[in-house]
Amino acid sequence: MPFQLRKYFLFFLFVIARSSIGLTQNSIAKKDTTTFPVDSTLFFSFRACGFDYGNTAVRQKLLLKLDGFQDYRPVTQNLGNAGSPEKKFLLPGFSPDAFRRGTSYFDDFGFRAGNRQFYVSDRPYTNVSLVLGMKQEVNVYVRHAHPLGKNANVAFGFERIRSTGYYKRQNTNNTSVNLNGWFRSPGRRYAFLFDFSWTKDAVAENGGIANDSSFFFAKQLDRQLVAVNLSSASTTCREREFWMKQFWSFGTVTDTVKIPGDSSGTVKTRILPSAAIVHTLSVSDDYFLYSDNALTDGFYNVILKDSSSTSDSTYLWKMKNGLWFQVFNTKSDGKRRVVSGKIGARHELGEIRNDTIYQSFSNIYADGSLDFYFGNNAFSAASLSGWYVASGYNASDRLIHLLMESDTIGKTLNLALEATSALSHPDFLAEHYSGNNFRWSNSFHQSGHSEAKMLVLYRGKKNDNHYSVSATFSEFTDAIYFGQDFRPAQMNGNITAVTVSAFAETGLKMVRTRSELTWNRIQYGSPIRLPEFVARESLYGNFHIFHNGLQLQFGVDATWFSAFYADAYMPALSQFYVQNDSLSGNYLYISPWLSFKIKPVRVFIRADHANAAFSGRNYMIIPHYPQNDFSLKFGLSWVFND
């Protein structure tokens, strides 16, 4: 047995032995006095918009569920190695900002603005997760949240992923750290949230394998002997951001609030904010570097400056300020207001540098939202929000969003309708770029993107079975994309797309399934490419043994998507581009697994892509970048709550 696998196996045996000792001790005791809950309801996370301050708090329980724990890396359009750029089977989304450098395909890793989370806990909470795989794949995730009384909490996060990969020059080395927290003054006249994040992605670039036939038709294949296009290229992407949000509130003083559990009838003064002046501030800088110290003939169409090495860098810094007057949605008696919302302005400024290109920018936004609460009706709430760039680099850009939701109907059914419309200038990368192998200056006009979505969610009476169906209609006007020549282009006219998704988690007590099916219908000739069908299925057994002290699951995950012309990847730009030469898909990925949970410890063993050796070599999603072969993975998650 190889040393690396033997090390993982011995570590796994240690966890089994340690957990078994605890089970034995519990089984021989007359009564288990442990108070740790099976699924803790004492720990919560929330996004900034769900802060418990005037508005209704929107919290997510930090559960110790075993379901889905083994699904470490779902199949996506990726370069074949953990931590490398990837593109999901989804239509393009909406950006919260008017000015952007360009689309980043590293955003699914690390602590970034799009996944910013805060925590609420009565006592310290720590989650340590570890995933080990072949080819030295290591993914470490640590999150610690610490309460500072009832009105404050701080949290620290660390995430790291590295892997050498199966092919030459495929190694990844990504690290992210995060520190955030929140505070409410005892009288709730003032509150703030803050967040600091630092993320660095460092990946080697091989440009894909030099000849696809060496993968498709070789009978025996040592992956390290396969020729690749680039021998000394790499990409480094670093993002840093400090963000904070402050509230100066107004409210009605209520001086007859009885302290729960106090038989003396003691009362105290309580202030429930009804309105506030809200201020946000963020300062960020992004650094992108592509380097190649051994330029390979034939890979780059042209060399503009240096024939011996490439060092293309882009630096962007940005500062954003926002100031609003906000009316909260909760009254002093705890009931919902019929009308609430905010109105204000935002300002962003900064500069971007790329080779000889320098551009400063500044935008002033009008920004606001209006929320309605109708009570227990077919649609109980509606929200209209948006922003408009009144002046600046992105003048006349806008985004409007409408959401209508129902209360739970008959304790089982929820409905939601959502509509979004945006008009935006091109990303900076689409209009201006200067490097050793690419250079352009374009004058594209604004692009439009509109979307309407309906969601129906049904929960079974026992809440362990649920089903959902969503339908989305999208329209893109004058879309900007990267063409087969690797350069940005703008399509004249409209592109329509329809997406219908169905999800079901159901079954008996000991046999369960999770099924997801998505159908995409995109206008013919569109530069936006998605498979027509994407199917994911998980079938597993679910057992509680040792007097419910151990939960055991074992099953198989499968992913299939229909054939389509997937976008290819240009490492010198870190962008995906349209290609019409190579079909991807129509291949089934099968991964058997076993997982178990003993109180706060969860463990899984997964045979990722177990059918790689006998299903043919049709598993190249992105042209020239084969997916991983069979890989054995081991995962461990341990939660500490004291």
Side-chain angles (χ1 to χ4, degrees), residues 528-544:
I528 300 173
R529 307 290 176 83
L530 288 177
E532 186 174 7
F533 293 99
V534 180
R536 303 183 190 275
E537 178 68 30
S538 184
L539 174 65
Y540 59 99
N542 183 45
F543 305 93
H544 292 82

Side-chain angles (χ1 to χ4, degrees), residues 306-326:
D306 191 334
S307 60
S308 61
S309 65
T310 293
S311 182
D312 296 340
S313 64
T314 303
Y315 176 79
L316 166 68
W317 80 266
K318 184 189 294 187
M319 182 172 71
K320 296 184 288 186
N321 271 287
L323 190 66
W324 294 267
F325 173 74
Q326 181 169 1

